[in-house]
Amino acid sequence: MLLRRIITGSIVQIVVLALLLFVPAGTLDWWRAWVLLGVFALGTVASVLDLYPDHKDLLQERLKSPLQRDQPWVDKIVLVPFVVLFLGLFVLIPLDLYRWHLLPRVATSLSWLGLALLLIGWWISHLSLKHNPYAAPVVKHQVARRHTVVDSGVYGIVRHPMYAGAIAVMFGIPLWLESEAGILVVVVMTTLLVLRIVFEERFLCQLSGYDAYLLKVRYRLIPRVW
């Protein structure tokens, strides 16, 4: 049942993203968009195969709604505009490239950096899920799952590797699709994630041992930077 839900949800997600990209573009002749969707599809399959069945509880948790009853209201305030901007990014980019031409296209040589960021960011995010069985999509204290501090693996390098990977993926999308306007949207999304990190760390201080973890791993997103 769980695997079926994951497969169904993944297919729906890819179809929705495809519609958001190709309908505003007015064409299917956009090979970079097909590559992007292929990375998302293959990355999802590889990640699920690696996590299942040892991380069933985590996969089950990540299938839940991004808005939950026991979720702090501050997290909802940050998460709702983030999700809207993420979906809007997939609409803005084709409108920018095929209709509005808001800004010049990203240079082709630089766009390949976007693809590299996509792959690297996806791998970091996957490792975050593999190393942290409590990596829920919302900020909350998972009492029923005996929520504890994770300080090994990628969590021994930075305190929020999932966000670090997500930011790399987010910047990779408009870079690969050659949209400078899309990059500006990602800057706003990154700002929201930074705000969420600050709030989330205050919330996680409720966990036993988190204060010690803050001293052990000093950096949040980028080693020796922040």
Side-chain angles (χ1 to χ4, degrees), residues 67-175:
L67 298 178
Q68 300 178 22
R69 180 179 302 177
D70 53 350
Q71 178 183 11
W73 64 270
V74 177
D75 193 41
K76 295 178 181 179
I77 290 176
V78 173
L79 200 55
V80 169
F82 178 84
V83 172
V84 171
L85 286 172
F86 180 76
L87 296 176
L89 179 66
F90 284 82
V91 177
L92 172 66
I93 289 176
L95 288 176
D96 173 37
L97 297 178
Y98 287 90
R99 302 181 188 277
W100 297 343
H101 310 291
L102 298 172
L103 294 170
R105 283 182 177 244
V106 172
T108 301
S109 57
L110 187 59
S111 71
W112 288 98
L113 172 62
L115 184 58
L117 285 174
L118 275 170
L119 297 175
I120 294 170
W122 198 285
W123 177 242
I124 293 173
S125 296
H126 171 71
L127 290 178
S128 302
L129 293 175
K130 191 169 184 177
H131 295 160
N132 184 4
Y134 309 105
V138 303
V139 176
K140 64 178 183 179
H141 189 187
Q142 302 171 58
V143 179
R145 299 183 62 215
R146 299 180 180 178
H147 195 174
T148 58
V149 176
V150 175
D151 59 2
S152 60
V154 287
Y155 286 86
I157 302 174
V158 292
R159 300 202 294 263
H160 300 275
M162 175 69 75
Y163 293 145
I167 290 171
V169 169
M170 283 164 20
F171 275 101
I173 293 170
L175 278 172

